[in-house]
Amino acid sequence: MGTDMFDKTETHTSVTNYYGTTLEKTSDLLTNACCTAGAPLPHIKAAISNIHPSVIAKYYGCGFCVPDEVEGMTILDLGCGAGRDVYIASQLVGTEGKVIGVDMTPEQLDVAKETQSWHAEKFGYDNVEFHLGLIEKLDEIPSLKDRSVDIIISNCVINLCPDKESVLKSCHRILKPGGELYFSDVYSSRRVPEELRKDEVLWGECLSGALYWNDFQNLAKKCGFKDPRLVEDAPITIENPDVQKKIESMGHKSLEFYSATYRLFQLDCLEPHCEDYGQAVIYKGTIPRFESAWALDDHHVMERGKVFPVCGNTYNMLKETRFAKHFDFVGDFRAHHLTCVSAHNKSMPFKSSVSDGATGSKGGGGCC
């Protein structure tokens, strides 16, 4: 798709210029919002070591957003940039899988495409494709048909989009039943004021476009993702005196930002709240690299061989997805007991939050 085949808003143009010309390498970022703080797991670190240096140099992201159990899957990367996460996923899905990258910045995609043959030789196969386009308009990419993708990933990109609802609706349409949107992004402790939203640099730095966490959860549910699950989070410390001063001079010193990874399952059987049916699961210890225990989200860490009580939504997130073969399931939906109390907790979900001297609640809209 050529650059003249889709219409960009003023925000799109600003972001394209910022990531296409203003930023030449990761170190050009003014804040740490688009920087990954934690160390990758060994298998991700090994995959990164196989990626071309020119791709690594133009990486701008806030997390490691490739989930577990992806071999043979079709993965779509929204806002793939120069292709770092595409080439990580390429190695994890293997020869039977496929990875599709979409980005609106030609300069970034040029790097991804120019190194495609190099990566194919390095990996021993070529299972990736790249498309120039807006992630708000995925329906304009012919290969992205309804229910055609197993997993969608995105790394600190959706916050850059002015129309986030269109992005989430398209994700729900493209995902196969039981598939998931697994992504890292930037969120705010309250709604970002208009004067900050108009600042091009702060938008390019992934701050001004950040969604207030509660607005995100409500929007996700509106778009069909009924039970967003928080996987991990970390506070964003801007670490740039000029940028911090700009925010504070506008009267917004108390505004906080967080990097968070969520997983949203495409499952029509999920309920708006977590309901207790007396069910449980037993993890078999068979997900590669997680023989002792495996975490679905930030408050469901299941040890091998141990009976683990779950709500109906968690039960279905495991039984109706690619994870089913790794669990034994206890119970059914015949006897309803009660609604999990913590499902209605509306405090900030981020564990790393220290707002008002308190830590965040357990989980991001998950069951008890």
Side-chain angles (χ1 to χ4, degrees):
M1 180 182 293
T3 56
D4 59 341
M5 292 183 67
F6 60 87
D7 296 324
K8 292 182 179 179
T9 65
E10 185 177 338
T11 300
H12 289 126
T13 301
S14 174
V15 171
T16 298
N17 291 338
Y18 197 70
Y19 284 87
T21 58
T22 302
L23 301 180
E24 295 183 0
K25 53 188 181 302
T26 306
S27 59
D28 291 333
L29 288 164
L30 298 180
T31 73
N32 71 339
C34 292
C35 299
T36 303
L41 292 172
H43 71 291
I44 299 293
K45 186 176 181 179
I48 293 173
S49 70
N50 292 326
I51 296 175
H52 196 283
S54 62
V55 172
I56 299 297
K58 293 184 76 67
Y59 163 69
Y60 315 107
C62 59
F64 300 103
C65 59
V66 181
D68 306 314
E69 192 66 7
V70 299
E71 185 174 358
M73 300 283 128
T74 295
I75 294 181
L76 168 64
D77 184 4
L78 301 181
C80 65
R84 192 203 75 153
D85 288 348
V86 167
Y87 289 122
I88 291 175
S90 170
Q91 298 171 73
L92 299 180
V93 302
T95 57
E96 299 301 314
K98 180 181 181 181
V99 187
I100 305 163
V102 177
D103 202 275
M104 68 175 180
T105 306
E107 293 87 350
Q108 290 273 73
L109 277 185
D110 287 345
V111 175
K113 292 178 178 179
E114 288 167 2
T115 60
Q116 187 169 348
S117 59
W118 185 93
H119 287 102
E121 183 176 352
K122 183 80 171 178
F123 303 162
Y125 53 85
D126 184 4
N127 61 354
V128 306
E129 64 182 62
F130 295 97
H131 298 276
L132 182 66
L134 301 177
I135 66 173
E136 296 99 322
K137 298 183 178 181
L138 295 175
D139 57 335
E140 296 180 0
I141 299 175
S143 61
L144 297 179
K145 303 182 185 301
D146 293 1
R147 302 188 171 192
S148 62
V149 170
D150 297 294
I151 300 164
I152 299 175
I153 61 176
S154 184
N155 198 336
C156 204
V157 170
I158 295 178
N159 73 86
L160 298 171
C161 299
D163 186 0
K164 297 171 177 61
E165 182 173 346
S166 291
V167 177
L168 293 181
K169 283 183 176 179
S170 290
C171 289
H172 192 271
R173 173 184 65 81
I174 292 169
L175 281 170
K176 298 176 183 178
E180 68 169 316
L181 168 59
Y182 187 98
F183 71 112
S184 297
D185 221 305
V186 177
Y187 300 90
S188 57
S189 59
R190 61 192 66 185
R191 295 182 180 119
V192 177
E194 186 65 23
E195 58 263 38
L196 294 182
R197 292 176 57 82
K198 291 180 178 178
D199 190 291
E200 291 188 3
V201 172
L202 293 182
W203 195 288
E205 290 286 325
C206 301
L207 297 175
S208 292
L211 266 178
Y212 164 50
W213 66 269
N214 203 25
D215 285 345
F216 160 70
Q217 292 192 9
N218 290 331
L219 181 61
K221 293 173 183 178
K222 178 182 178 182
C223 294
F225 297 107
K226 298 177 184 177
D227 189 357
R229 293 295 178 93
L230 176 64
V231 178
E232 60 182 357
D233 64 88
I236 291 174
T237 52
I238 294 175
E239 297 183 1
N240 181 305
D242 293 334
V243 174
Q244 187 67 51
K245 184 177 180 180
K246 176 183 287 190
I247 294 174
E248 293 181 5
S249 68
M250 294 180 180
H252 307 299
K253 183 178 181 179
S254 60
L255 181 62
E256 299 170 352
F257 296 96
Y258 298 86
S259 167
T261 299
Y262 274 92
R263 65 190 329 158
L264 312 182
F265 285 97
Q266 209 276 37
L267 287 170
D268 290 341
C269 58
L270 298 183
E271 299 184 84
H273 299 294
C274 295
E275 305 289 347
D276 181 5
Y277 295 91
Q279 298 157 313
V281 298
I282 304 171
Y283 176 49
K284 298 178 182 179
T286 51
I287 296 178
R289 297 175 298 276
F290 299 95
E291 290 78 13
S292 298
W294 180 78
L296 173 69
D297 52 43
D298 74 337
H299 61 297
H300 288 86
V301 181
M302 293 155 280
E303 297 179 28
R304 182 180 64 181
K306 182 178 180 179
V307 177
F308 190 90
V310 294
C311 71
N313 280 355
T314 299
Y315 186 94
N316 278 325
M317 288 177 186
L318 299 173
K319 188 174 179 62
E320 303 301 327
T321 67
R322 67 190 188 279
F323 299 114
K325 62 185 178 182
H326 301 292
F327 290 86
D328 289 322
F329 296 88
V330 180
D332 50 38
F333 286 88
R334 287 180 292 182
H336 178 243
H337 299 286
L338 74 162
T339 299
C340 293
V341 175
S342 67
H344 300 286
N345 192 333
K346 293 300 182 182
S347 61
M348 183 147 30
F350 306 132
K351 287 185 175 181
S352 59
S353 168
V354 292
S355 295
D356 302 319
T359 57
S361 64
K362 277 175 45 177
C367 72
C368 49

